[in-house]
Amino acid sequence: MLANPSFHGRPLQYVPTVRNELCRPYACPLQLHSRSYQFLASSLGDKRKRIRRRSISRIFKTQFSVRASAEPQDLSVLAVGSAGVQASPFSVRIPVGDRHITVETGLIGRQASGAVTVTDGETIIYTTVCLADVPSEPSDFFPLSVHYQERFSAAGRTSGGFFKREGRTKDHEVLICRLIDRPLRPTMLKGFYHETQVLSWVLSYDGLHPPDALAVTAAGIAMALSEVPSSEVIAGVRIGLIGDKFIVNPTIQEMENSKLDLLLAGTNNAILMIEGYCDFLPEDKLLEAVEVGQDAVRGICKEVEALVQKCGKPKMLDAIKLPPKELYKLVEEISGNELVEVLQIKNKIPRRKALSSLEENVISILSEKGYISTMEAFGSTETLPDLLEEDEDEEVVVDGEVDEGDVHIKPVARKTVPLLFSEVDVKLVFKEVTSKLLRKRIVERGKRSDGRTPQEIRVIDARCGLLPRAHGSALFTRGETQSLAVVTLGDKQMAQKIDNLVDDDEYKRFYLQYSFPPSCVGEAGRVGAPSRREIGHGMLAERALGPILPPEDDFPYTVRVESTITESNGSSSMASVCGGCLALQDAGVPVKCSIAGIAMGMVLDTKEFGGDGTPLILSDILGSEDASGDMDFKVGGITLPIMKQALLQAKDGRKHILAEMSKCSPPPSRKLSKHAPLIHVMKVKPEKINLIIGSGGKKVKSIIEETGVEAIDTQDDGVVKITAKDLSSLEKSKAIISSLTMVPVVGDIYRNCEIKSIAPYGVFVEIAPGREGLCHISELSANWLAKAEDAFKVGDHLDVKLIEINDKGQLRLSRRALLPDPEPEKQSTKPRNASLSNDNVVSPKASDKGKPKKAVTVSNDGSASKSAESLKDKTVTMKLSSPGKEAAKRLVSPEKDGPDKPQMKKSGGNISSKSGNAVVNGEAKVV
């Protein structure tokens, strides 16, 4: 595409970059044959009537986006080809683990530089790669942007929010964007400044095959097929561990039983990115998983390389622009020993200011010597008179009538300026020279910028309980990196709802939120929504702390950890892990153990700086070491031996950090804060949940208002969680819910129960809120009553005992069962519930028929015999000392007493039995 002139006064520039042709990175005049002009003009249709003679650039902008070529015939061929010739679809099946993935190109997205669909089962990822027609300003990073989106229609549903259209990128989509970006960026060649965009969509999701690892592979394939110059093909896989077997790209169901969730991306011979979490696996097991993943990635890359040979586009290698080699020598000569001295400054802010001052000094010296142009122009200094001339009779388009795509250009004549280097090139070279000297000093002297050895950890200080009203807090400081971690405890209402494609309406009971304000690095900058970096670092710390949390059954709280970076000089995410662990302990969370995190770095090519060639691993890296390329493993790949060495050195570093964390002063309280809410968990029968909720939630709302608790959460499985600020309100709500959902048991005693209504045959007593039982008139008093209202009225309170539950669930209560036995002289002459038969044995009630009984028969001589029946009802038949007289007494066990207590005649003397049973004052007792 023809470049537009800058709005900042920059001259017009043309950079020819032709797809499917070798591009030429230098600027050149545009030459067109008349046939090309006629073709382009004829494509405008009716717009030719409004155009007499426009500039060639405006004609290009009207309908076509064509890259200029130095050969005139190429342009017309390209225009015809782009309009009418399309590549035929091509697909290939690639084995991955125990199944295949299908890669197809040439069917969808044919105007993109690279476009593929990758299918695993019924999960389909569509990914495109496009790049800008003209390069952007040179910078110290590759201008790559990645966007990943999960369409809810892929699973046959829509978003749970009010707006059903997918909108702002969700956190888990941001994390997958980072997974795609991280392995792609190291493979991009330096000096390529065309802005590149990777777009990825989930078009179909089967609920079985996760899309994230598939999206990494799709992006790697699309980039390999495009014109973007990259060094190698990349692919990504997920590794799970089920039992002792490693699974490549496990399904969602398989991952539920996996001890490992490792996502790995790499090339044919090296590892570029590893991310995931595990359940306390040793380093050797993790290395074995990495090896399995590397083998799977290698197999995919080989197949993709064959696909690129058939369908790939030529790479734009000629578009790469690197600073001249002469500039490196000039910068090194000017900075000289002063740069070495600046790198030895231990503190970050003074060192950064000194480096910035030195950089400006280098630019000033080069400008004074005439090596740097003050104009931001690149390329040819020739003007294009044919394009800059305006025809007198050219039609002027009035504002408001401009067709979409028309661009009005005000030409600016170029000035012939002797140009050697640009200021941007000087800054790029200065940074590379600084990184080179930093590496050299570490390799040659074994000392880093702050004076530490490669394995040495910075000074650590930790303290807890800084914030009195927070449920838990900790300040963790490691050198010039500091994290303020705060823990908040709450109920399920505080849980984070996740509305995404993979996990439908999932609730997270633990989450960590990381923030990196500009003040932590001594700068003034943007403050707003969390950046992709903040989301990624927060998830990294969250996954580290998750395995040490107790299960929900043991600790029913929702846990939120906030990590605010108050100072930063490298390893801020790992400081969040350490500070978060201490804050959890300070909040009284019963964590399984203490954990620590450490960031590792590396100097890869030590032979360049006088070393023996062995990679040098650095523990607890600084910010300057992080930014220096391969210091934070930002290189073209890590081999397994290097990974093993780094893991073992990191283990030693973690042990040291844990020892320092144990010296925390003041130490974590390890008990629940008085400001934290109280949560009581109850278990009721699932069918009783509706009694707690009530119609439209009225009952649960009334309980909350009456007792003052914060929330009552009910679950379908019968679990009830009560959240309260104080113990008294918690006990009140607990008592009400217990009464509502209680399961009455025969023999239970209920105290101070209110009479709700009176009937001719008895009274109805409320034993619990909303639960009443009948106390028959015969069970109201030990004496005979003609009418219940003679002795009781509505509103009276009395103690009752549950003596029967019929088939309909109705309760039969007794007051008489709790009254003491009356004196013989006060006994009624009309006993109601006991009748003596001819043989003086009391027959059981009708309701007791069929129940197993165990009888104890006591003879005149005191001997006793027992039947082998059940002990639920104990019927005692006694032959008293008076000949011919027999009486019976029903005794019920304390937990399930029967309703009947018939009066018995007093007989003199005590009869003891050999078995331990006795008759005392005429009343049988079973010992």
Side-chain angles (χ1 to χ4, degrees):
M1 184 186 295
L2 296 179
N4 298 331
S6 171
F7 292 101
H8 301 284
R10 281 186 258 173
L12 188 66
Q13 66 176 14
Y14 295 91
V15 181
T17 53
V18 181
R19 288 179 179 150
N20 297 318
E21 298 291 340
L22 292 177
C23 59
R24 295 168 174 81
Y26 51 85
C28 65
L30 184 63
Q31 299 176 357
L32 295 176
H33 285 180
S34 59
R35 60 176 180 174
S36 301
Y37 173 81
Q38 292 171 0
F39 170 78
L40 292 171
S42 63
S43 66
L44 299 179
D46 295 336
K47 296 177 184 178
R48 293 189 62 187
K49 299 177 182 179
R50 294 192 300 140
I51 300 176
R52 296 182 181 177
R53 293 178 59 190
R54 291 189 180 183
S55 64
I56 298 300
S57 61
R58 292 188 61 186
I59 296 175
F60 271 98
K61 284 293 183 178
T62 305
Q63 289 288 341
F64 293 98
S65 173
V66 181
R67 292 185 178 174
S69 172
E71 299 297 333
Q73 64 272 16
D74 291 343
L75 183 61
S76 60
V77 172
L78 177 61
V80 175
S82 63
V85 179
Q86 301 293 351
S88 59
F90 186 86
S91 63
V92 61
R93 297 181 74 229
I94 300 176
V96 180
D98 57 354
R99 59 184 184 274
H100 289 75
I101 63 173
T102 302
V103 179
E104 186 174 25
T105 185
L107 179 63
I108 306 178
R110 292 171 292 184
Q111 296 186 33
S113 180
V116 295
T117 57
V118 182
T119 304
D120 185 8
E122 292 183 347
T123 298
I124 301 176
I125 305 293
Y126 168 54
T127 302
T128 63
V129 173
C130 290
L131 62 155
D133 295 303
V134 294
S136 57
E137 294 290 345
S139 61
D140 58 348
F141 65 93
F142 177 61
L144 172 68
S145 62
V146 179
H147 298 272
Y148 168 89
Q149 186 181 63
E150 294 177 348
R151 299 280 177 86
F152 284 95
S153 58
R157 60 187 181 92
T158 187
S159 172
F162 179 80
F163 297 101
K164 300 306 177 184
R165 180 170 181 169
E166 286 80 5
R168 177 181 175 271
T169 305
K170 302 179 181 65
D171 285 0
H172 73 280
E173 292 174 326
V174 170
L175 296 173
I176 297 177
C177 288
R178 289 171 57 85
L179 293 177
I180 297 172
D181 182 284
R182 286 163 56 190
L184 284 178
R185 195 172 292 277
T187 63
M188 299 298 108
L189 300 180
K190 290 185 177 181
F192 185 75
Y193 300 118
H194 290 258
E195 184 179 352
T196 305
Q197 186 179 57
V198 178
L199 301 178
S200 187
W201 296 272
V202 181
L203 300 185
S204 177
Y205 175 63
D206 57 7
L208 190 63
H209 304 94
D212 48 1
L214 202 63
V216 176
T217 299
I221 298 174
M223 188 68 74
L225 293 172
S226 72
E227 302 157 279
V228 180
S230 56
S231 59
E232 293 181 275
V233 178
I234 72 161
V237 295
R238 169 177 270 103
I239 305 298
L241 178 61
I242 302 176
D244 292 329
K245 183 180 179 182
F246 290 102
I247 307 295
V248 178
N249 280 2
T251 62
I252 297 293
Q253 287 80 0
E254 289 174 332
M255 283 303 300
E256 292 177 357
N257 301 318
S258 177
K259 299 178 182 178
L260 173 69
D261 185 1
L262 182 71
L263 202 148
L264 179 144
T267 64
N268 193 9
N269 52 19
I271 303 164
L272 294 172
M273 184 271 298
I274 294 178
E275 183 163 318
Y277 51 97
C278 59
D279 190 9
F280 298 100
L281 292 180
E283 281 78 5
D284 293 340
K285 206 69 175 178
L286 186 59
L287 285 171
E288 189 178 347
V290 172
E291 187 174 2
V292 172
Q294 177 62 22
D295 292 339
V297 167
R298 187 180 295 112
I300 298 175
C301 290
K302 288 181 179 179
E303 296 288 341
V304 174
E305 289 171 358
L307 176 64
V308 172
Q309 294 295 325
K310 296 180 181 179
C311 306
K313 296 180 180 179
K315 299 296 182 180
M316 297 173 57
L317 298 175
D318 289 344
I320 295 176
K321 293 182 179 180
L322 294 172
K325 294 182 179 179
E326 296 80 4
L327 185 56
Y328 288 87
K329 296 180 181 179
L330 289 172
V331 171
E332 289 181 3
E333 289 175 1
I334 295 173
S335 58
N337 295 330
E338 187 177 355
L339 180 57
V340 177
E341 294 176 359
V342 168
L343 291 176
Q344 295 178 10
I345 300 176
K346 292 185 177 181
N347 295 329
K348 175 184 175 178
I349 301 299
R351 183 172 62 248
R352 185 184 68 191
K353 291 182 178 180
L355 284 173
S356 179
S357 176
L358 181 58
E359 181 186 65
E360 291 297 326
N361 186 37
V362 171
I363 294 175
S364 298
I365 294 175
L366 290 175
S367 299
E368 292 174 359
K369 294 182 178 181
Y371 289 106
I372 297 180
S373 170
T374 57
M375 295 191 63
E376 300 178 7
F378 297 93
S380 174
T381 60
E382 298 179 7
T383 60
L384 304 178
D386 293 339
L387 293 180
L388 300 180
E389 292 179 357
E390 294 288 344
D391 244 4
E392 295 179 0
D393 57 348
E394 180 178 0
E395 180 181 355
V396 178
V397 180
V398 182
D399 290 343
E401 298 180 1
V402 181
D403 292 336
E404 184 177 357
D406 284 353
V407 177
H408 297 276
I409 301 173
K410 183 179 181 181
V412 178
R414 296 191 177 189
K415 297 180 180 180
T416 303
V417 179
L419 177 62
L420 292 178
F421 310 120
S422 70
E423 185 175 326
V424 176
D425 283 338
V426 177
K427 291 183 177 182
L428 291 175
V429 171
F430 183 82
K431 181 177 180 180
E432 290 189 28
V433 171
T434 303
S435 299
K436 180 180 178 181
L437 291 179
L438 183 64
R439 290 177 171 87
K440 185 177 181 180
R441 184 174 185 270
I442 295 174
V443 174
E444 288 182 350
R445 304 183 184 181
K447 293 290 184 180
R448 296 148 75 176
S449 295
D450 56 358
R452 289 182 294 143
T453 63
Q455 296 81 17
E456 192 174 351
I457 310 298
R458 289 174 286 179
V459 177
I460 294 175
D461 177 70
R463 57 188 66 187
C464 291
L466 276 76
L467 309 178
R469 298 292 298 189
H471 300 161
S473 60
L475 184 68
F476 179 83
T477 307
R478 180 165 53 199
E480 293 181 297
T481 298
Q482 188 179 74
S483 169
L484 176 62
V486 180
V487 170
T488 305
L489 304 177
D491 58 1
K492 187 178 179 179
Q493 294 181 354
M494 200 182 83
Q496 186 180 37
K497 181 181 179 181
I498 300 177
D499 183 20
N500 58 23
L501 188 65
V502 178
D503 303 306
D504 187 12
D505 293 341
E506 178 190 3
Y507 286 89
K508 290 177 63 175
R509 60 178 292 262
F510 168 66
Y511 49 94
L512 187 146
Q513 295 170 339
Y514 168 101
S515 59
F516 192 90
S519 61
C520 70
V521 290
E523 297 177 353
R526 166 189 169 274
V527 177
S531 65
R532 291 190 172 192
R533 180 184 181 275
E534 289 175 312
I535 293 173
H537 282 218
M539 179 55 65
L540 190 64
E542 178 182 309
R543 287 178 173 176
L545 292 171
I548 68 171
L549 291 180
E552 187 174 5
D553 293 340
D554 298 337
F555 194 74
Y557 287 88
T558 295
V559 182
R560 177 195 183 200
V561 179
E562 299 169 84
S563 175
T564 303
I565 305 304
T566 50
E567 294 182 27
S568 178
N569 189 9
S571 306
S572 60
S573 60
M574 297 298 99
S576 301
V577 174
C578 302
C581 179
L582 291 173
L584 288 171
Q585 295 174 348
D586 189 56
V589 180
V591 296
K592 299 176 183 177
C593 62
S594 296
I595 64 169
I598 186 172
M600 306 298 292
M602 176 181 61
V603 180
L604 187 59
D605 191 6
T606 57
K607 188 174 291 186
E608 179 184 359
F609 310 114
D612 58 359
T614 304
L616 182 61
I617 306 298
L618 306 177
S619 298
D620 185 22
I621 59 174
L622 299 172
S624 58
E625 296 169 343
D626 187 356
S628 298
D630 57 353
M631 291 293 188
D632 194 25
F633 296 100
K634 296 183 177 74
V635 292
I638 304 297
T639 60
L640 284 174
I642 297 175
M643 180 68 66
K644 181 177 182 180
Q645 181 184 352
L647 287 175
L648 294 178
Q649 187 168 321
K651 183 178 181 179
D652 295 336
R654 293 197 310 272
K655 289 181 178 179
H656 172 79
I657 296 171
L658 286 171
E660 295 299 315
M661 288 170 59
S662 64
K663 303 174 184 177
C664 177
S665 179
S669 65
R670 299 182 185 273
K671 62 181 181 180
L672 202 65
S673 169
K674 63 180 180 180
H675 303 295
L678 301 174
I679 297 182
H680 178 74
V681 180
M682 301 174 63
K683 180 71 175 178
V684 301
K685 288 189 175 182
E687 58 268 20
K688 301 287 185 179
I689 289 294
N690 290 333
L691 296 176
I692 303 174
I693 300 175
S695 178
K698 292 182 179 179
K699 189 62 182 178
V700 68
K701 291 178 182 177
S702 66
I703 298 174
I704 293 174
E705 293 176 359
E706 179 182 350
T707 61
V709 297
E710 291 185 342
I712 297 176
D713 177 51
T714 59
Q715 301 177 12
D716 294 338
D717 59 355
V719 175
V720 180
K721 295 181 181 179
I722 308 171
T723 305
K725 292 182 178 180
D726 54 81
L727 188 60
S728 60
S729 61
L730 181 67
E731 291 295 338
K732 290 179 182 178
S733 61
K734 177 184 172 183
I736 294 175
I737 293 175
S738 299
S739 301
L740 284 173
T741 60
M742 71 171 186
V743 179
V745 178
V746 174
D748 288 346
I749 298 174
Y750 304 95
R751 304 288 183 183
N752 199 30
C753 300
E754 184 181 357
I755 297 176
K756 289 295 185 180
S757 61
I758 299 178
Y761 47 83
V763 297
F764 287 92
V765 182
E766 185 182 52
I767 61 174
R771 199 68 186 272
E772 297 180 4
L774 172 64
C775 186
H776 193 265
I777 190 171
S778 61
E779 300 293 340
L780 280 173
S781 173
N783 300 319
W784 182 84
L785 286 177
K787 294 181 180 180
E789 55 265 26
D790 293 343
F792 303 97
K793 64 180 181 295
V794 174
D796 287 350
H797 291 77
L798 65 162
D799 299 339
V800 292
K801 186 174 187 177
L802 180 60
I803 58 175
E804 183 183 352
I805 304 175
N806 64 15
D807 296 337
K808 297 181 180 181
Q810 296 172 333
L811 308 180
R812 184 185 173 201
L813 306 173
S814 174
R815 176 176 176 269
R816 185 166 62 90
L818 300 178
L819 298 175
D821 289 337
E823 295 297 328
E825 59 273 10
K826 295 182 181 180
Q827 286 187 15
S828 172
T829 59
K830 299 180 179 180
R832 294 188 301 273
N833 293 320
S835 60
L836 296 178
S837 61
N838 292 333
D839 56 357
N840 295 327
V841 178
V842 178
S843 61
K845 294 185 179 181
S847 61
D848 296 332
K849 290 182 180 179
K851 294 184 180 180
K853 299 176 176 57
K854 181 166 184 177
V856 180
T857 304
V858 185
S859 60
N860 286 336
D861 58 358
S863 62
S865 61
K866 295 183 181 180
S867 67
E869 299 296 328
S870 172
L871 287 172
K872 289 185 178 179
D873 292 327
K874 303 183 181 69
T875 301
V876 182
T877 303
M878 297 163 290
K879 293 182 179 180
L880 302 179
S881 56
S882 303
K885 297 262 183 160
E886 291 184 355
K889 175 76 174 177
R890 176 180 291 275
L891 297 180
V892 184
S893 60
E895 64 275 8
K896 292 185 180 181
D897 286 356
D900 301 322
K901 285 193 175 183
Q903 288 93 21
M904 297 186 61
K905 294 181 180 180
K906 184 177 180 180
S907 62
N910 296 335
I911 304 176
S912 62
S913 67
K914 296 179 181 179
S915 62
N917 298 321
V919 177
V920 181
N921 295 328
E923 183 174 327
K925 296 189 180 295
V926 179
V927 182

